[in-house]
Every structure is written in structure tokens, then in C-alpha cells.
Amino acid sequence: MVSAAPRLVVIGADDGVRLARAARLAGHYGIPRLPAADLLLRRQPLPAGGYVIDSAPQLLDAERGIGGLRPALAFADLVVLLHGEEWTGADEARRVLRYYEARGMLAAFPPDAPDGDLIVAVDAVLRGRTEDPPEGPDGGP
């Protein structure tokens, strides 16, 4: 059975825009919004029913262990990158973003893109799911 709730990560440098967008996406899908800083500090397990994590890119770029992704990223369905007007792509060439871009799981939008555009991208990812989300590893993100 395929779960209807997405596992999203919203990345953007502008805190206000990112937080508002993450909150609206979480509200639309009826799932919790989790600040990445809180997840990293508390090491709480990720909700099985989907989530929206909001983060500045540098918070999620650090490696965990030997070259592994943090579980919040390892199990995400889609990473939504909110880039500013001056964005060229080179600024955001961090390891995590390159990882998701190579797998077709990175969707970049300008900060003022309509919510509907993001929802269309998320829904397309959910339709592409072939199985339930895996259980996250013990110990949280």
C-alpha cells in the first residue's frame, strides 16, 4: 500500500519565506512541520505518517558518520529548494543538493512561486511511489 503523506525537506536561505512555505505545505498535507535545528538537537524519530522539515542548506549538508546522509534526507521523497532572485545554481552546489538533483528528487522554485506549483511537484512524486516509506533508523535523525 502506498502512503499518501509526503516526506519533504524545504531548503532555503530566507528564514521567513522558508518557514511560511513549509508551514503551508505541512498544513495542506496534514503533516507536521519540523525545524531541522530541533531534529538535530533532540535526535527525535521522524514521524511515520510524513513530515515537512525546514532547513537552511548548510544545516543538512554536514555528513553523518562516514559519508552517510542524515536520516531526514535519506528517507525524503522530495527536497524543495527555494532560491532567491540572484540564484545561479553554483551557490547551492552543496553535497546534499547534488545528491538529490542526480536522483531527480530536487525541485527548485523561486520563493514567490505559487503553492500550487509545489503541490503539483509533490503530488507527482507521491504518484511515483511504489511502496510504503521505509522505517527510519533507530535513534532519530
Side-chain angles (χ1 to χ4, degrees):
M1 182 173 172
V2 177
S3 174
R7 298 159 305 184
L8 305 173
V9 177
V10 177
I11 296 177
D14 183 342
D15 288 346
V17 171
R18 184 188 71 239
L19 295 174
R21 182 59 56 103
R24 290 193 308 268
L25 285 171
H28 175 80
Y29 289 103
I31 54 179
R33 182 191 63 83
L34 308 168
D38 288 353
L39 285 173
L40 296 173
L41 290 174
R42 295 186 186 134
R43 299 188 51 77
Q44 66 191 46
L46 295 169
Y51 51 82
V52 176
I53 296 172
D54 66 75
S55 178
Q58 62 273 20
L59 268 184
L60 296 177
D61 191 40
E63 293 182 14
R64 178 179 185 210
I66 301 175
L69 289 172
R70 297 181 188 279
L73 292 173
F75 296 107
D77 294 314
L78 186 66
V79 174
V80 176
L81 171 63
L82 301 174
H83 57 75
E85 291 178 18
E86 69 287 346
W87 184 76
T88 65
D91 312 357
E92 302 295 339
R94 301 191 191 312
R95 184 183 69 89
V96 169
L97 297 180
R98 288 191 313 264
Y99 172 88
Y100 279 99
E101 184 175 35
R103 283 151 187 80
M105 296 170 60
L106 178 69
F109 294 92
D112 60 349
D115 286 348
D117 290 355
L118 277 76
I119 290 167
V120 166
V122 171
D123 288 349
V125 167
L126 293 178
R127 280 192 303 275
R129 253 198 213 160
T130 58
E131 57 187 40
D132 278 334
E135 294 295 322
D138 293 335

